[in-house]
Each structure stands twice: as structure tokens, then as C-alpha cells.
Amino acid sequence: MSVIFRDFAPASLCLILFVTCNGCGQDSTTAGGPDSTTANDSSRTSEPGSTSVEDPEPGVVELKQANAKLNDGIVQFEVAYAFTSGSPVKTYLCTVQFSDSEQAGIKPLEAFELHPEGSFRMGIEVGDNPVDEFEITFSEADSPDRGYTVISNTLTGQVTTSSP
């Protein structure tokens, strides 16, 4: 009997290793078997070399309104906006330029901080420099190091002074 077992031992070992390792190397999308479906099934049917992720539609933002109040050398802004095309999926930059002054300010924003429509707040320190009027624009970029493109109208307004 031991002779028979010795003859079949290498073959049995190979069979056991083959059966146990058959599942090795499978990714989680096929682990459920041939009848299982996953969210990634559609990506497997795409042609080689093609990407299944499309570039997002370029954003267009309407700056609706901005309130600006000067208090202790800081101009506090509340800016209302709406995406009229696209949605917040990139990196954004709100730029404020004060008329008749070298004063300016920026507010970087990430997609998670924005909604298709809403408002955000920002403050710009101006010190003792007189500021009366402002211009605001909104820009987007795939990445800040690639540069921003203006995607909004230019909104102008007056800076009001808070009462002490």
C-alpha cells in the first residue's frame, strides 16, 4: 500500500497545488464567478487603448452677486454663484481686484467646497489702503500648476464700511 501512495504522491501534490492556486491572481471584479456582475463589467468591453472615463464638460460660472464690507482693514466678501455649464470637478480660483488700487486678492477653492449653485466667503486684508470698488472673476484649472482659465463673468460692486 505504501508503494502505491509513494507513486501517486507527486501527482496528488500537483493536483492539490493546482486546485488551490487556481483562484490565485484573480482580481475582485471576477472573484464572484462567471455569473456575477459588477460595476466594472462595462469597462472590460471597451477597445484596447480607449479610455472609458470622459473629460468633464468645461465649467461656466455665473457670478450673481457679491457683498463686500470693510471692517478693521479686512474686506469680507460673500459671493453668490451658479454653474450654468459643467459642474465643480476641478480646481478653482476666485480673483478680486480693487479699482484705483494695486490691492488684489485670491481665494483658491477645491471642487468639494463648491456646489452647482451656492455662495462662499472670503476675506482680503487691505490695511489702511482706501478701497471703494471691486471686480471679481472665477477661474478653473485641471491642476493649479497648469494655469487657470477664466470661466465667469466679471462682477463689479462697491465696498461698504461696517459701522463701529
Side-chain angles (χ1 to χ4, degrees), residues 24-94:
C24 296
Q26 288 184 340
D27 63 2
S28 62
T29 59
T30 59
D35 294 338
S36 66
T37 57
T38 64
N40 292 333
D41 283 350
S42 62
S43 66
R44 283 188 238 137
T45 60
S46 63
E47 295 180 13
S50 68
T51 58
S52 59
V53 177
E54 295 181 21
D55 287 336
E57 181 180 355
V60 177
V61 171
E62 177 189 356
L63 296 175
K64 295 181 170 190
Q65 179 182 355
N67 297 321
K69 292 183 181 179
L70 176 62
N71 187 14
D72 293 329
I74 298 174
V75 180
Q76 296 290 333
F77 288 90
E78 184 167 355
V79 182
Y81 67 91
F83 277 80
T84 59
S85 177
S87 62
V89 294
K90 297 185 178 186
T91 300
Y92 300 92
L93 188 68
C94 181

Side-chain angles (χ1 to χ4, degrees), residues 127-147:
D128 294 332
N129 297 325
V131 291
D132 294 326
E133 296 180 357
F134 62 87
E135 291 184 350
I136 298 179
T137 57
F138 202 77
S139 304
E140 81 176 358
D142 290 326
S143 174
D145 60 346
R146 292 187 176 179

